[in-house]
Structure formats: C-alpha cells, structure tokens
Amino acid sequence: MTFYHSTNMLIGKIDLERSRNRVDFGKGFYITDKLGTAHDWAIRKAELEGGGIPTVIAYEVSSDVYSLSGLRFPNVPEIEWLEFICSNRRMRPPVFVTNEPRHGFDWIAGPIADDKVVDVVAEYMRQEITADAAIVRLRALPHTYQLSLHTQATLAYVDDVNVLYKQLKKGRWTQSWIKRKI
C-alpha cells in the first residue's frame, strides 16, 4: 500500500524520536493514503514553520503492519475519536512524567478532520462546548484516512530504502527517487 508523508524538507530514515508530542493520535509518524491531502499538508507545514520546501514522500507499507496492536476509528468523527484526540493533546502538569505517545498501540488509523479540528478540540477541552456540539462541528475530509505509526516494530513494515519524493518548487511539483543504502 502506498502512503504519503508531508513535510517541509527531505528526511532521512524515519526517526520516531523526532515526532511531535501532543498531536491527534500521539507522538508518531503520520501518513495518509491520499496524495492530494499530502500535497496540501506539505504546503501548510512549510507555511506554519516559516519555510522549507513543501515535500511529500511516498512509502510502501505492508498491510501486515495491521497484525500489530492497533486502533482503527470509523471514517466519521465520533465521541470516542474526539476523546482520544483530547487525551493526546492535553497538556500535563510538569510534575507528572508522561511518556509519549500516551497509549500502548503500535499504530492508529482514522479520519482526517478539516482545519477546524484544533479550534473545536480546544473549545471542547476548555468545556466551552459539549461533545455532541464538537462532533457536529467537526467534519472529516471526504475519503481521507491517516495512519500513525508509534513504535519501532511498525517501521519494519515500511520500505524506506526505495523512496519516491515530490517537492513544490516554483509552483510545480517535481518528482525524484531516493535510493538509500541499507
């Protein structure tokens, strides 16, 4: 299966330690099955981080990855999905040591919400809106799906040796292959 990772630079070997904390499914390596969505994310990442080159990297992922411990959410937002996102995004008092990710799954799959997710989740976490109101306001992007990989075990199912990447330069997506040495 082909999945795409969005970034603002070429990356070497996948390094889970470089992943961000307090994101939807927890610290992990996020990929999507939709190239158009990956293009949009790469552009947005470059804008949010103040530079870099929007880059989409294609990886072949074996479906055997799903034999590991995982969690799959339905393709539409639901209260369990909202609560799971909140549990991963919540700030913890500094006196508590919290490992990231905040769950024991190797992988998590589920819908990708539109750009309102950050604001809606924040309002819900501040108890300004109910869970039902948050679900109504959240809209999953049509036919999109994200897979987050959280453990070294999942990376054994990702081909990161023969990698196709695309970069947005002068308004055009260029495509190249990277052949990494093992």
Side-chain angles (χ1 to χ4, degrees):
M1 304 176 297
T2 302
F3 283 92
Y4 306 96
H5 177 72
S6 304
T7 183
N8 62 343
M9 68 184 94
L10 278 176
I11 62 173
K13 194 157 186 66
I14 299 169
D15 182 358
L16 295 173
E17 290 303 313
R18 295 192 59 171
S19 301
R20 293 184 341 203
N21 292 328
R22 293 185 305 278
V23 291
D24 290 353
F25 295 161
K27 184 176 183 173
F29 188 74
Y30 285 73
I31 50 183
T32 181
D33 62 342
K34 300 296 182 202
L35 181 57
T37 300
H39 283 161
D40 293 345
W41 282 359
I43 292 167
R44 185 163 184 225
K45 185 166 179 105
E47 289 171 353
L48 290 174
E49 295 189 5
I53 299 171
T55 303
V56 173
I57 305 170
Y59 294 97
E60 290 301 317
V61 180
S62 169
S63 60
D64 292 340
V65 73
Y66 297 117
S67 67
L68 300 173
S69 170
L71 176 63
R72 184 183 309 262
F73 289 101
N75 287 334
V76 293
E78 59 174 19
I79 291 176
E80 291 80 11
W81 174 79
L82 173 65
E83 288 294 333
F84 191 82
I85 289 173
C86 289
S87 72
N88 287 300
R89 287 184 171 263
R90 259 189 200 101
M91 297 293 290
R92 304 281 187 186
V95 294
F96 295 112
V97 175
T98 303
N99 291 331
E100 295 285 346
R102 298 173 181 179
H103 55 75
F105 297 107
D106 293 305
W107 59 268
I108 299 173
I112 300 169
D114 65 14
D115 289 343
K116 295 186 300 184
V117 71
V118 173
D119 296 331
V120 173
V121 167
E123 289 174 30
Y124 174 69
M125 288 171 60
R126 290 190 303 263
Q127 298 179 335
E128 295 171 2
I129 60 174
T130 66
D132 289 335
I135 294 300
V136 168
R137 288 184 48 202
L138 289 172
R139 182 179 68 82
L141 297 172
H143 312 294
T144 60
Y145 169 87
Q146 65 183 343
L147 174 64
S148 56
L149 308 175
H150 300 280
T151 63
Q152 288 300 124
T154 60
L155 300 184
Y157 297 94
V158 178
D159 178 358
D160 67 349
V161 175
N162 298 299
V163 179
L164 175 68
Y165 74 94
K166 296 173 77 174
Q167 289 189 306
L168 184 62
K169 295 181 180 178
K170 298 181 182 178
R172 296 184 61 210
W173 286 98
T174 62
Q175 184 170 298
S176 299
W177 283 93
I178 298 174
K179 173 95 170 139
R180 299 192 208 291
K181 292 183 180 177
I182 299 177

